[in-house]
Amino acid sequence: MSLRPGLVTVVAVIVYLNALFTILGGVILLIGANSTEVDSAVGGAELAVGTGVIAMLLGLLTLLVARGLFSGSNLSRGIIAGIQLFAAINGVLSIVHGQVAVGVVNMLVAVIVIGILYSGRANAFFRH
């Protein structure tokens, strides 16, 4: 097996942090689902609760598979890439709903993570 590229390690750390922030965001949505601020920003308490639960589940899934990035699990790489595709789509939706900064950051992180995970050096590492 080839040595793990430094950028793959960086991505694994970013994925862990992203997962933690996703879980935190889901918790915040659940806690504030009935507030008028969340109601007007998200489109209703039911949507806020649903979005919060989905965010927390995706965050937990990400935490579970991110560890595989360190060991070179191709399955983990594919799952993380899929999650990042959803994050990019969420970024587009955020932009459409007026949250431009959040949307742009989500899309940029997703593109960078996928690009690193499928770079030449990363392909050699995950090929083992």
Side-chain angles (χ1 to χ4, degrees):
M1 171 168 51
S2 63
L3 293 174
R4 181 177 61 238
L7 286 178
V8 171
T9 302
V10 170
V11 164
V13 171
I14 290 171
V15 169
Y16 272 112
L17 292 173
N18 187 309
L20 293 174
F21 284 122
T22 300
I23 293 168
L24 179 62
V27 169
I28 290 170
L29 277 172
L30 288 178
I31 291 170
N34 290 319
S35 72
T36 56
E37 293 85 9
V38 172
D39 187 39
S40 64
V42 178
E46 296 84 12
L47 189 56
V49 168
T51 302
V53 169
I54 290 170
M56 289 174 22
L57 290 173
L58 282 175
L60 288 172
L61 173 65
T62 304
L63 281 177
L64 292 173
V65 298
R67 182 176 174 165
L69 293 178
F70 286 110
S71 63
S73 167
N74 209 28
L75 177 61
S76 290
R77 176 171 74 154
I79 291 171
I80 295 299
I83 290 170
Q84 292 306 309
L85 285 174
F86 280 114
I89 292 167
N90 186 46
V92 171
L93 294 175
S94 293
I95 291 170
V96 168
H97 287 98
Q99 298 173 340
V100 176
V102 170
V104 169
V105 168
N106 282 346
M107 290 173 24
L108 284 175
V109 169
V111 168
I112 290 168
V113 166
I114 292 170
I116 290 170
L117 288 178
Y118 287 91
S119 68
R121 292 185 64 203
N123 284 337
F125 173 66
F126 286 104
R127 194 171 300 141
H128 72 277

